[in-house]
Amino acid sequence: KGLDSAYPRQQTAMSAWQRPKLLRRAALALGLAFTVAVFPLQRPSEHFQAEDEAAQLAFTGAAAGAGVARSERTAMHMLMPKTINWKHPQKPIVKPFHHSTKWKFRGYETEGITPHFGKYGLMALEEAWISSKQIENVRRAIVRTMERKGKMWIRIFPNSPITQRVAESRMGAGKGAISYFVEAVRPKRMLFEMDGVSEDIAKNAFRKAAYRLPCKVKMVVKSDGPSQYELGLTD
């Protein structure tokens, strides 16, 4: 009693310092006991799967109650080569006219410059890198405008991989990993073709496609004979 009355501040400080430590120990013991009691027969993977299902149910609860729940996302099946020769490939020689400081005129395209499969074609007027995502976006716009009539063809394929490093990375540490695939086109290259629709529908479809491409384009009408679609030689 004499010591407690002589040193009241020291006793208060010691008890305040010990209290959080005891509370942490008690909380840890209670948490372990609760986990064992609630999940006695579940493995860690099953426990995490149950948490994911509960979170997904909570996230889609309102939509499911309204009858608008969606189970899967719409996948974009973009074009890409089956095999890649190099792990860290170099960029194509043809650089895009826009957004490139190393652009140099490499001449006009000599192959694939006229419509062949269809009557109407979309021609590029300048150098550009057209990515697989842009090709898929244009394809969807054209098919939506055609309204399930006629047929369209994609005359380009993104076979050139482009690497990209992590944002805000320091100098050195080697070349980046492959990020996406592009097709390096030159002027007069035929990008898309269509047939089996009227000229007004083709103009409207190519007008919507021009907004989604990184280069200037123009519509070309085949005038050197019938197309493969008109001859019935296409599948």
Side-chain angles (χ1 to χ4, degrees):
K1 182 177 181 181
L3 291 175
D4 294 343
S5 60
Y7 303 98
R9 296 183 179 178
Q10 184 177 1
Q11 183 182 5
T12 305
M14 291 295 290
S15 61
W17 176 77
Q18 292 179 353
R19 190 177 298 110
K21 190 173 183 181
L22 295 175
L23 291 175
R24 286 196 300 270
R25 290 181 179 178
L28 180 60
L30 289 174
L32 292 176
F34 177 76
T35 304
V36 173
V38 176
F39 307 102
L41 301 177
Q42 286 186 342
R43 293 189 294 271
S45 60
E46 296 178 355
H47 172 55
F48 295 146
Q49 184 178 2
E51 288 185 352
D52 294 341
E53 292 177 357
Q56 185 177 5
L57 180 61
F59 180 74
T60 60
V68 197
R70 298 181 60 184
S71 58
E72 298 180 358
R73 293 183 178 179
T74 303
M76 291 186 63
H77 302 284
M78 294 182 293
L79 299 175
M80 63 176 296
K82 292 183 178 180
T83 58
I84 303 173
N85 296 330
W86 306 99
K87 184 178 180 181
H88 301 289
Q90 297 182 355
K91 296 179 181 179
I93 297 178
V94 178
K95 300 297 187 295
F97 181 75
H98 299 281
H99 316 292
S100 178
T101 57
K102 297 182 179 180
W103 172 83
K104 183 179 179 180
F105 182 68
R106 302 286 180 175
Y108 295 100
E109 189 65 57
T110 57
E111 297 180 357
I113 59 177
T114 57
H116 177 71
F117 299 97
K119 183 179 180 181
Y120 310 104
L122 190 65
M123 177 186 292
L125 299 180
E126 55 191 10
E127 295 87 347
W129 284 358
I130 303 179
S131 64
S132 56
K133 187 178 294 186
Q134 293 170 345
I135 294 175
E136 176 64 17
N137 197 4
V138 171
R139 185 196 68 82
R140 292 190 178 194
I142 292 177
V143 171
R144 193 181 302 113
T145 307
M146 293 173 64
E147 298 179 353
R148 301 178 180 271
K149 300 175 183 177
K151 194 172 182 180
M152 68 157 297
W153 294 267
I154 303 175
R155 296 291 304 274
I156 55 178
F157 186 84
N159 54 9
S160 299
I162 303 297
T163 60
Q164 188 174 4
R165 297 186 59 177
V166 183
E168 300 182 2
S169 60
R170 297 190 178 185
M171 298 179 64
K175 191 175 178 65
I178 295 176
S179 178
Y180 56 96
F181 296 87
V182 302
E183 169 69 13
V185 300
R186 293 190 293 176
K188 294 187 177 182
R189 177 65 183 273
M190 199 60 56
L191 306 179
F192 299 90
E193 294 182 15
M194 69 170 60
D195 203 339
V197 295
S198 63
E199 187 172 354
D200 294 337
I201 295 178
K203 286 183 179 180
N204 189 21
F206 287 150
R207 178 184 62 83
K208 294 181 180 179
Y211 293 128
R212 295 166 170 81
L213 291 172
C215 60
K216 293 182 179 180
V217 294
K218 74 173 182 178
M219 177 179 171
V220 180
V221 181
K222 186 176 180 62
S223 59
D224 56 348
S227 62
Q228 297 291 312
Y229 182 84
E230 295 175 344
L231 296 175
L233 301 178
T234 58
D235 296 337

